[in-house]
Amino acid sequence: MKEACLKEPDLLEQIRSFYDDAIKDSEKDKKYGAYIKESGAILTFKLPLKRDNGELEILEAYRVHHSYHQLPVKGGYRMSADLSPKLVEALAMLSTIKMGVCDIPFGGAYGGVKCNPKLYSAAELEKITRRYTIELSRKGIIGPAIDVPEPDIGTDAKDMAYMKDTYQMLYGNKDINSSAICTGKPPSQGGIEGNDEAWGLSIAHGIQEFLNIEGFCKKYGLAPGLKDKEVILEGLGRRGYWAGKFLIAAGAKIIGIVMSKCGIYSPEGLDFQDAADYYKKNKSFASYTKAKEVLPEATKETIMYKPCDIFIPAQKEMLITINNVDKIKAKLIAEAANGAITYYAQKMLEYKGIPIIPDLILNTGGLAVSYFEWIKNMKHVKLGRLLKGWEKETKCGILRLLGKEEEYKGSKEGPTEKDIVYSAIDDMLHDVVQEVYKMSLDKGISFRTAGYKIAIARIHRMYDDAGFLIQSFHPNHKLSYV
């Protein structure tokens, strides 16, 4: 008999509920509370597509600017059949909060096209992205100083290359910074090597940072460090796949993988790379023979309910809900996907004493590398290029003085762009984790609420220091383009 399911609010209401928790005890935070919850601009438009067979199809597309407290605004560009105005608005608001936690000087935005990219050819997908870029550009919605998209579900580096190329064809002769129109591009198009890995690195390092805190481990009965930790992973996108790679490198083992239509489980540990390669080639685990359990779509969710040290939802929003939270047996949940845990599920997990490292912390590295790419494009020089030679010669000079000639000969090259970015991500994550953990400890609140409080305080400071042009505003005011 099918279990009865309770219907929860949509993701936008979930995020607003988390926001309300963060401001409820502070009159100062409530000052701009109603205003910040609303989106600054919502654009819904039709996108015509001539299919390969000659038929004309009309797609629905969106772009939301949530907050203009910092410019440009920034957020994902998604292609998904599940996309809706409310979902896009929710993800734009979440983007604002994430930028605030990391202290990255962007406002939040989000957008995309409502379609299943698997049903379109490569040529059709290129047309969709190029037309999306043209429509946004014509309306003055995107630009290096206005709104800078990045890839999300259903899009990747090649889509960002199409977006950049289209924008440059339109405005490249007038805007010297036109290559900064988007991030997540291939390195040949002004992107940064290792962009995709940065998201997984951030997840793995974020978990490691918490497991290095003695008080955190003692409170929740966790052994310090990642060595021998049993991990169950949901999703093999750029977050899930690279998180798995970095976690294994740190000594953890992946015992389960849950995908949208299948899952695999082996308590002794999976050959993660073999499993990921198999899924990439076959789009399924149906005939995979190197796992103890191979489950179809109907039962694959049971894998995420198995005992483990760390469960990482890395793909789907609102995966853990009030309807399945009681089945979770993980000792720690690392929320890599956007809004993977609902408001009421979080309350239940807190009651059960299961700690949650929220998305707004674990996504720090991905946001940071996007910021660094934007800086690189705006400055028209590779990260570290100006100081690379000086750093190299300084290091070699020290080694020469120490008489370590062999080391000197092998150290002529300075740090790569990827080395610089990874080092910065590690440093930023450490600072974010320490700041969030301290506030959580001081105020007796969850890590998520602490993160929201930090972000809201930074947004309020921007408004207080700059001042509002119009001091009296309607709390439900929003500017909509239709």
Side-chain angles (χ1 to χ4, degrees), residues 180-213:
I181 180 59
C182 59
T183 61
K185 304 180 293 290
S188 66
Q189 300 299 308
I192 290 179
E193 193 74 44
N195 183 296
D196 284 350
E197 296 98 304
W199 291 85
L201 178 72
S202 179
I203 295 160
H205 279 207
I207 297 169
Q208 180 76 72
E209 283 288 339
F210 273 96
L211 292 175
N212 285 341
I213 299 173

PDB file of all heavy atoms in Angstrom, residues 180-213:
ATOM      1  N   ALA A 180      33.568  38.877 -19.890  1.00  0.00           N
ATOM      2  CA  ALA A 180      33.126  38.650 -18.508  1.00  0.00           C
ATOM      3  C   ALA A 180      31.612  38.529 -18.410  1.00  0.00           C
ATOM      4  O   ALA A 180      31.056  38.575 -17.316  1.00  0.00           O
ATOM      5  CB  ALA A 180      33.619  39.776 -17.605  1.00  0.00           C
ATOM      6  N   ILE A 181      30.922  38.329 -19.528  1.00  0.00           N
ATOM      7  CA  ILE A 181      29.471  38.210 -19.539  1.00  0.00           C
ATOM      8  C   ILE A 181      28.985  36.995 -18.761  1.00  0.00           C
ATOM      9  O   ILE A 181      27.885  36.971 -18.214  1.00  0.00           O
ATOM     10  CB  ILE A 181      28.942  38.141 -20.994  1.00  0.00           C
ATOM     11  CG1 ILE A 181      27.420  38.007 -21.029  1.00  0.00           C
ATOM     12  CG2 ILE A 181      29.576  36.982 -21.755  1.00  0.00           C
ATOM     13  CD1 ILE A 181      26.689  39.123 -20.374  1.00  0.00           C
ATOM     14  N   CYS A 182      29.794  35.941 -18.683  1.00  0.00           N
ATOM     15  CA  CYS A 182      29.406  34.733 -17.957  1.00  0.00           C
ATOM     16  C   CYS A 182      30.651  34.031 -17.450  1.00  0.00           C
ATOM     17  O   CYS A 182      31.770  34.340 -17.877  1.00  0.00           O
ATOM     18  CB  CYS A 182      28.587  33.785 -18.847  1.00  0.00           C
ATOM     19  SG  CYS A 182      29.455  33.243 -20.335  1.00  0.00           S
ATOM     20  N   THR A 183      30.473  33.091 -16.559  1.00  0.00           N
ATOM     21  CA  THR A 183      31.600  32.298 -16.039  1.00  0.00           C
ATOM     22  C   THR A 183      31.310  30.817 -16.250  1.00  0.00           C
ATOM     23  O   THR A 183      30.228  30.441 -16.669  1.00  0.00           O
ATOM     24  CB  THR A 183      31.848  32.588 -14.548  1.00  0.00           C
ATOM     25  OG1 THR A 183      30.670  32.221 -13.802  1.00  0.00           O
ATOM     26  CG2 THR A 183      32.164  34.049 -14.298  1.00  0.00           C
ATOM     27  N   GLY A 184      32.307  29.992 -15.962  1.00  0.00           N
ATOM     28  CA  GLY A 184      32.168  28.561 -16.221  1.00  0.00           C
ATOM     29  C   GLY A 184      32.510  28.218 -17.660  1.00  0.00           C
ATOM     30  O   GLY A 184      32.158  27.151 -18.164  1.00  0.00           O
ATOM     31  N   LYS A 185      33.199  29.127 -18.345  1.00  0.00           N
ATOM     32  CA  LYS A 185      33.577  28.934 -19.741  1.00  0.00           C
ATOM     33  C   LYS A 185      34.773  27.985 -19.859  1.00  0.00           C
ATOM     34  O   LYS A 185      35.515  27.785 -18.888  1.00  0.00           O
ATOM     35  CB  LYS A 185      33.942  30.287 -20.375  1.00  0.00           C
ATOM     36  CG  LYS A 185      32.853  31.342 -20.280  1.00  0.00           C
ATOM     37  CD  LYS A 185      33.269  32.648 -20.930  1.00  0.00           C
ATOM     38  CE  LYS A 185      34.401  33.353 -20.225  1.00  0.00           C
ATOM     39  NZ  LYS A 185      34.020  33.904 -18.912  1.00  0.00           N
ATOM     40  N   PRO A 186      35.025  27.412 -21.032  1.00  0.00           N
ATOM     41  CA  PRO A 186      36.257  26.647 -21.238  1.00  0.00           C
ATOM     42  C   PRO A 186      37.461  27.568 -21.077  1.00  0.00           C
ATOM     43  O   PRO A 186      37.357  28.780 -21.343  1.00  0.00           O
ATOM     44  CB  PRO A 186      36.134  26.154 -22.688  1.00  0.00           C
ATOM     45  CG  PRO A 186      34.685  26.276 -23.031  1.00  0.00           C
ATOM     46  CD  PRO A 186      34.170  27.435 -22.232  1.00  0.00           C
ATOM     47  N   PRO A 187      38.611  27.041 -20.672  1.00  0.00           N
ATOM     48  CA  PRO A 187      39.807  27.885 -20.507  1.00  0.00           C
ATOM     49  C   PRO A 187      40.163  28.679 -21.762  1.00  0.00           C
ATOM     50  O   PRO A 187      40.626  29.817 -21.677  1.00  0.00           O
ATOM     51  CB  PRO A 187      40.905  26.877 -20.153  1.00  0.00           C
ATOM     52  CG  PRO A 187      40.164  25.771 -19.469  1.00  0.00           C
ATOM     53  CD  PRO A 187      38.859  25.666 -20.190  1.00  0.00           C
ATOM     54  N   SER A 188      39.929  28.107 -22.954  1.00  0.00           N
ATOM     55  CA  SER A 188      40.244  28.792 -24.202  1.00  0.00           C
ATOM     56  C   SER A 188      39.379  30.036 -24.413  1.00  0.00           C
ATOM     57  O   SER A 188      39.731  30.922 -25.194  1.00  0.00           O
ATOM     58  CB  SER A 188      40.062  27.843 -25.386  1.00  0.00           C
ATOM     59  OG  SER A 188      38.691  27.476 -25.535  1.00  0.00           O
ATOM     60  N   GLN A 189      38.250  30.100 -23.701  1.00  0.00           N
ATOM     61  CA  GLN A 189      37.324  31.220 -23.832  1.00  0.00           C
ATOM     62  C   GLN A 189      37.377  32.173 -22.637  1.00  0.00           C
ATOM     63  O   GLN A 189      36.465  32.971 -22.430  1.00  0.00           O
ATOM     64  CB  GLN A 189      35.893  30.690 -23.992  1.00  0.00           C
ATOM     65  CG  GLN A 189      35.688  29.801 -25.194  1.00  0.00           C
ATOM     66  CD  GLN A 189      35.973  30.545 -26.495  1.00  0.00           C
ATOM     67  OE1 GLN A 189      35.437  31.625 -26.723  1.00  0.00           O
ATOM     68  NE2 GLN A 189      36.820  29.976 -27.337  1.00  0.00           N
ATOM     69  N   GLY A 190      38.451  32.063 -21.870  1.00  0.00           N
ATOM     70  CA  GLY A 190      38.605  32.942 -20.714  1.00  0.00           C
ATOM     71  C   GLY A 190      38.206  32.318 -19.400  1.00  0.00           C
ATOM     72  O   GLY A 190      38.169  32.989 -18.369  1.00  0.00           O
ATOM     73  N   GLY A 191      37.894  31.006 -19.416  1.00  0.00           N
ATOM     74  CA  GLY A 191      37.559  30.309 -18.187  1.00  0.00           C
ATOM     75  C   GLY A 191      38.789  29.920 -17.397  1.00  0.00           C
ATOM     76  O   GLY A 191      39.924  30.219 -17.789  1.00  0.00           O
ATOM     77  N   ILE A 192      38.572  29.255 -16.281  1.00  0.00           N
ATOM     78  CA  ILE A 192      39.675  28.828 -15.410  1.00  0.00           C
ATOM     79  C   ILE A 192      39.759  27.314 -15.398  1.00  0.00           C
ATOM     80  O   ILE A 192      38.752  26.626 -15.241  1.00  0.00           O
ATOM     81  CB  ILE A 192      39.468  29.363 -13.977  1.00  0.00           C
ATOM     82  CG1 ILE A 192      39.653  30.880 -13.953  1.00  0.00           C
ATOM     83  CG2 ILE A 192      40.431  28.692 -12.989  1.00  0.00           C
ATOM     84  CD1 ILE A 192      39.453  31.512 -12.594  1.00  0.00           C
ATOM     85  N   GLU A 193      40.953  26.800 -15.594  1.00  0.00           N
ATOM     86  CA  GLU A 193      41.171  25.356 -15.535  1.00  0.00           C
ATOM     87  C   GLU A 193      40.787  24.842 -14.151  1.00  0.00           C
ATOM     88  O   GLU A 193      41.197  25.385 -13.139  1.00  0.00           O
ATOM     89  CB  GLU A 193      42.653  25.048 -15.796  1.00  0.00           C
ATOM     90  CG  GLU A 193      42.959  23.593 -16.067  1.00  0.00           C
ATOM     91  CD  GLU A 193      42.513  23.146 -17.437  1.00  0.00           C
ATOM     92  OE1 GLU A 193      42.729  23.870 -18.417  1.00  0.00           O
ATOM     93  OE2 GLU A 193      41.931  22.036 -17.509  1.00  0.00           O
ATOM     94  N   GLY A 194      39.951  23.795 -14.138  1.00  0.00           N
ATOM     95  CA  GLY A 194      39.559  23.212 -12.853  1.00  0.00           C
ATOM     96  C   GLY A 194      38.289  23.797 -12.282  1.00  0.00           C
ATOM     97  O   GLY A 194      37.990  23.596 -11.101  1.00  0.00           O
ATOM     98  N   ASN A 195      37.499  24.495 -13.109  1.00  0.00           N
ATOM     99  CA  ASN A 195      36.264  25.106 -12.617  1.00  0.00           C
ATOM    100  C   ASN A 195      35.311  24.058 -12.047  1.00  0.00           C
ATOM    101  O   ASN A 195      34.785  24.221 -10.942  1.00  0.00           O
ATOM    102  CB  ASN A 195      35.582  25.881 -13.753  1.00  0.00           C
ATOM    103  CG  ASN A 195      34.323  26.603 -13.319  1.00  0.00           C
ATOM    104  OD1 ASN A 195      33.343  25.992 -12.920  1.00  0.00           O
ATOM    105  ND2 ASN A 195      34.348  27.919 -13.382  1.00  0.00           N
ATOM    106  N   ASP A 196      35.076  22.977 -12.798  1.00  0.00           N
ATOM    107  CA  ASP A 196      34.152  21.942 -12.329  1.00  0.00           C
ATOM    108  C   ASP A 196      34.649  21.282 -11.046  1.00  0.00           C
ATOM    109  O   ASP A 196      33.883  21.030 -10.125  1.00  0.00           O
ATOM    110  CB  ASP A 196      33.955  20.872 -13.406  1.00  0.00           C
ATOM    111  CG  ASP A 196      33.039  21.349 -14.521  1.00  0.00           C
ATOM    112  OD1 ASP A 196      32.430  22.411 -14.359  1.00  0.00           O
ATOM    113  OD2 ASP A 196      32.942  20.652 -15.546  1.00  0.00           O
ATOM    114  N   GLU A 197      35.963  21.010 -10.984  1.00  0.00           N
ATOM    115  CA  GLU A 197      36.529  20.372  -9.798  1.00  0.00           C
ATOM    116  C   GLU A 197      36.353  21.225  -8.550  1.00  0.00           C
ATOM    117  O   GLU A 197      36.250  20.704  -7.435  1.00  0.00           O
ATOM    118  CB  GLU A 197      38.035  20.104 -10.002  1.00  0.00           C
ATOM    119  CG  GLU A 197      38.375  19.133 -11.096  1.00  0.00           C
ATOM    120  CD  GLU A 197      38.762  19.823 -12.385  1.00  0.00           C
ATOM    121  OE1 GLU A 197      37.960  20.630 -12.890  1.00  0.00           O
ATOM    122  OE2 GLU A 197      39.878  19.564 -12.880  1.00  0.00           O
ATOM    123  N   ALA A 198      36.338  22.549  -8.739  1.00  0.00           N
ATOM    124  CA  ALA A 198      36.255  23.467  -7.602  1.00  0.00           C
ATOM    125  C   ALA A 198      35.016  23.218  -6.754  1.00  0.00           C
ATOM    126  O   ALA A 198      35.058  23.347  -5.527  1.00  0.00           O
ATOM    127  CB  ALA A 198      36.282  24.911  -8.088  1.00  0.00           C
ATOM    128  N   TRP A 199      33.884  22.850  -7.401  1.00  0.00           N
ATOM    129  CA  TRP A 199      32.660  22.600  -6.643  1.00  0.00           C
ATOM    130  C   TRP A 199      32.825  21.384  -5.735  1.00  0.00           C
ATOM    131  O   TRP A 199      32.440  21.402  -4.569  1.00  0.00           O
ATOM    132  CB  TRP A 199      31.487  22.395  -7.599  1.00  0.00           C
ATOM    133  CG  TRP A 199      31.105  23.637  -8.319  1.00  0.00           C
ATOM    134  CD1 TRP A 199      31.658  24.129  -9.480  1.00  0.00           C
ATOM    135  CD2 TRP A 199      30.121  24.592  -7.924  1.00  0.00           C
ATOM    136  NE1 TRP A 199      31.066  25.314  -9.818  1.00  0.00           N
ATOM    137  CE2 TRP A 199      30.118  25.623  -8.900  1.00  0.00           C
ATOM    138  CE3 TRP A 199      29.225  24.668  -6.859  1.00  0.00           C
ATOM    139  CZ2 TRP A 199      29.262  26.722  -8.823  1.00  0.00           C
ATOM    140  CZ3 TRP A 199      28.365  25.767  -6.783  1.00  0.00           C
ATOM    141  CH2 TRP A 199      28.394  26.776  -7.754  1.00  0.00           C
ATOM    142  N   GLY A 200      33.414  20.312  -6.265  1.00  0.00           N
ATOM    143  CA  GLY A 200      33.634  19.118  -5.454  1.00  0.00           C
ATOM    144  C   GLY A 200      34.700  19.319  -4.397  1.00  0.00           C
ATOM    145  O   GLY A 200      34.589  18.814  -3.274  1.00  0.00           O
ATOM    146  N   LEU A 201      35.751  20.067  -4.763  1.00  0.00           N
ATOM    147  CA  LEU A 201      36.809  20.381  -3.795  1.00  0.00           C
ATOM    148  C   LEU A 201      36.223  21.130  -2.612  1.00  0.00           C
ATOM    149  O   LEU A 201      36.559  20.858  -1.453  1.00  0.00           O
ATOM    150  CB  LEU A 201      37.884  21.230  -4.478  1.00  0.00           C
ATOM    151  CG  LEU A 201      39.045  21.691  -3.593  1.00  0.00           C
ATOM    152  CD1 LEU A 201      39.953  20.516  -3.254  1.00  0.00           C
ATOM    153  CD2 LEU A 201      39.849  22.790  -4.282  1.00  0.00           C
ATOM    154  N   SER A 202      35.339  22.063  -2.897  1.00  0.00           N
ATOM    155  CA  SER A 202      34.701  22.859  -1.848  1.00  0.00           C
ATOM    156  C   SER A 202      33.883  21.980  -0.905  1.00  0.00           C
ATOM    157  O   SER A 202      33.923  22.159   0.321  1.00  0.00           O
ATOM    158  CB  SER A 202      33.799  23.912  -2.486  1.00  0.00           C
ATOM    159  OG  SER A 202      33.153  24.686  -1.509  1.00  0.00           O
ATOM    160  N   ILE A 203      33.154  21.022  -1.464  1.00  0.00           N
ATOM    161  CA  ILE A 203      32.340  20.115  -0.644  1.00  0.00           C
ATOM    162  C   ILE A 203      33.232  19.272   0.259  1.00  0.00           C
ATOM    163  O   ILE A 203      33.007  19.170   1.470  1.00  0.00           O
ATOM    164  CB  ILE A 203      31.471  19.216  -1.547  1.00  0.00           C
ATOM    165  CG1 ILE A 203      30.449  20.066  -2.311  1.00  0.00           C
ATOM    166  CG2 ILE A 203      30.768  18.137  -0.731  1.00  0.00           C
ATOM    167  CD1 ILE A 203      29.885  19.386  -3.540  1.00  0.00           C
ATOM    168  N   ALA A 204      34.253  18.662  -0.327  1.00  0.00           N
ATOM    169  CA  ALA A 204      35.157  17.807   0.445  1.00  0.00           C
ATOM    170  C   ALA A 204      35.909  18.592   1.514  1.00  0.00           C
ATOM    171  O   ALA A 204      36.013  18.166   2.668  1.00  0.00           O
ATOM    172  CB  ALA A 204      36.141  17.111  -0.499  1.00  0.00           C
ATOM    173  N   HIS A 205      36.421  19.769   1.152  1.00  0.00           N
ATOM    174  CA  HIS A 205      37.178  20.578   2.110  1.00  0.00           C
ATOM    175  C   HIS A 205      36.267  21.160   3.192  1.00  0.00           C
ATOM    176  O   HIS A 205      36.684  21.314   4.347  1.00  0.00           O
ATOM    177  CB  HIS A 205      37.912  21.711   1.384  1.00  0.00           C
ATOM    178  CG  HIS A 205      39.196  21.264   0.756  1.00  0.00           C
ATOM    179  ND1 HIS A 205      40.260  22.106   0.530  1.00  0.00           N
ATOM    180  CD2 HIS A 205      39.596  20.056   0.312  1.00  0.00           C
ATOM    181  CE1 HIS A 205      41.249  21.433  -0.026  1.00  0.00           C
ATOM    182  NE2 HIS A 205      40.861  20.190  -0.181  1.00  0.00           N
ATOM    183  N   GLY A 206      35.020  21.472   2.815  1.00  0.00           N
ATOM    184  CA  GLY A 206      34.081  21.971   3.814  1.00  0.00           C
ATOM    185  C   GLY A 206      33.783  20.932   4.878  1.00  0.00           C
ATOM    186  O   GLY A 206      33.758  21.226   6.082  1.00  0.00           O
ATOM    187  N   ILE A 207      33.568  19.693   4.442  1.00  0.00           N
ATOM    188  CA  ILE A 207      33.343  18.592   5.387  1.00  0.00           C
ATOM    189  C   ILE A 207      34.581  18.390   6.253  1.00  0.00           C
ATOM    190  O   ILE A 207      34.486  18.224   7.480  1.00  0.00           O
ATOM    191  CB  ILE A 207      32.995  17.294   4.631  1.00  0.00           C
ATOM    192  CG1 ILE A 207      31.683  17.460   3.849  1.00  0.00           C
ATOM    193  CG2 ILE A 207      32.879  16.119   5.606  1.00  0.00           C
ATOM    194  CD1 ILE A 207      31.403  16.334   2.873  1.00  0.00           C
ATOM    195  N   GLN A 208      35.750  18.413   5.595  1.00  0.00           N
ATOM    196  CA  GLN A 208      37.010  18.232   6.325  1.00  0.00           C
ATOM    197  C   GLN A 208      37.197  19.311   7.391  1.00  0.00           C
ATOM    198  O   GLN A 208      37.629  19.017   8.519  1.00  0.00           O
ATOM    199  CB  GLN A 208      38.182  18.261   5.343  1.00  0.00           C
ATOM    200  CG  GLN A 208      39.564  18.090   5.984  1.00  0.00           C
ATOM    201  CD  GLN A 208      39.848  16.664   6.383  1.00  0.00           C
ATOM    202  OE1 GLN A 208      40.066  15.806   5.539  1.00  0.00           O
ATOM    203  NE2 GLN A 208      39.842  16.390   7.679  1.00  0.00           N
ATOM    204  N   GLU A 209      36.861  20.554   7.037  1.00  0.00           N
ATOM    205  CA  GLU A 209      37.013  21.656   7.993  1.00  0.00           C
ATOM    206  C   GLU A 209      36.188  21.403   9.257  1.00  0.00           C
ATOM    207  O   GLU A 209      36.669  21.613  10.376  1.00  0.00           O
ATOM    208  CB  GLU A 209      36.588  22.982   7.353  1.00  0.00           C
ATOM    209  CG  GLU A 209      37.599  23.585   6.400  1.00  0.00           C
ATOM    210  CD  GLU A 209      38.817  24.155   7.113  1.00  0.00           C
ATOM    211  OE1 GLU A 209      38.724  24.441   8.319  1.00  0.00           O
ATOM    212  OE2 GLU A 209      39.859  24.303   6.463  1.00  0.00           O
ATOM    213  N   PHE A 210      34.949  20.955   9.098  1.00  0.00           N
ATOM    214  CA  PHE A 210      34.111  20.673  10.270  1.00  0.00           C
ATOM    215  C   PHE A 210      34.651  19.493  11.063  1.00  0.00           C
ATOM    216  O   PHE A 210      34.637  19.501  12.301  1.00  0.00           O
ATOM    217  CB  PHE A 210      32.662  20.411   9.835  1.00  0.00           C
ATOM    218  CG  PHE A 210      31.839  21.652   9.717  1.00  0.00           C
ATOM    219  CD1 PHE A 210      31.676  22.275   8.484  1.00  0.00           C
ATOM    220  CD2 PHE A 210      31.240  22.221  10.832  1.00  0.00           C
ATOM    221  CE1 PHE A 210      30.925  23.434   8.364  1.00  0.00           C
ATOM    222  CE2 PHE A 210      30.489  23.381  10.732  1.00  0.00           C
ATOM    223  CZ  PHE A 210      30.330  23.990   9.490  1.00  0.00           C
ATOM    224  N   LEU A 211      35.133  18.468  10.351  1.00  0.00           N
ATOM    225  CA  LEU A 211      35.651  17.281  11.042  1.00  0.00           C
ATOM    226  C   LEU A 211      37.018  17.527  11.673  1.00  0.00           C
ATOM    227  O   LEU A 211      37.546  16.659  12.366  1.00  0.00           O
ATOM    228  CB  LEU A 211      35.718  16.097  10.072  1.00  0.00           C
ATOM    229  CG  LEU A 211      34.347  15.559   9.618  1.00  0.00           C
ATOM    230  CD1 LEU A 211      34.518  14.467   8.580  1.00  0.00           C
ATOM    231  CD2 LEU A 211      33.556  15.029  10.819  1.00  0.00           C
ATOM    232  N   ASN A 212      37.590  18.696  11.426  1.00  0.00           N
ATOM    233  CA  ASN A 212      38.828  19.092  12.103  1.00  0.00           C
ATOM    234  C   ASN A 212      38.554  19.894  13.370  1.00  0.00           C
ATOM    235  O   ASN A 212      39.474  20.231  14.114  1.00  0.00           O
ATOM    236  CB  ASN A 212      39.705  19.930  11.168  1.00  0.00           C
ATOM    237  CG  ASN A 212      40.390  19.087  10.103  1.00  0.00           C
ATOM    238  OD1 ASN A 212      40.514  17.870  10.250  1.00  0.00           O
ATOM    239  ND2 ASN A 212      40.835  19.712   9.032  1.00  0.00           N
ATOM    240  N   ILE A 213      37.276  20.221  13.607  1.00  0.00           N
ATOM    241  CA  ILE A 213      36.902  20.984  14.808  1.00  0.00           C
ATOM    242  C   ILE A 213      36.594  20.004  15.943  1.00  0.00           C
ATOM    243  O   ILE A 213      35.637  19.236  15.878  1.00  0.00           O
ATOM    244  CB  ILE A 213      35.676  21.878  14.527  1.00  0.00           C
ATOM    245  CG1 ILE A 213      35.994  22.882  13.411  1.00  0.00           C
ATOM    246  CG2 ILE A 213      35.256  22.610  15.799  1.00  0.00           C
ATOM    247  CD1 ILE A 213      34.794  23.698  12.960  1.00  0.00           C
TER     248      ILE A 213
END
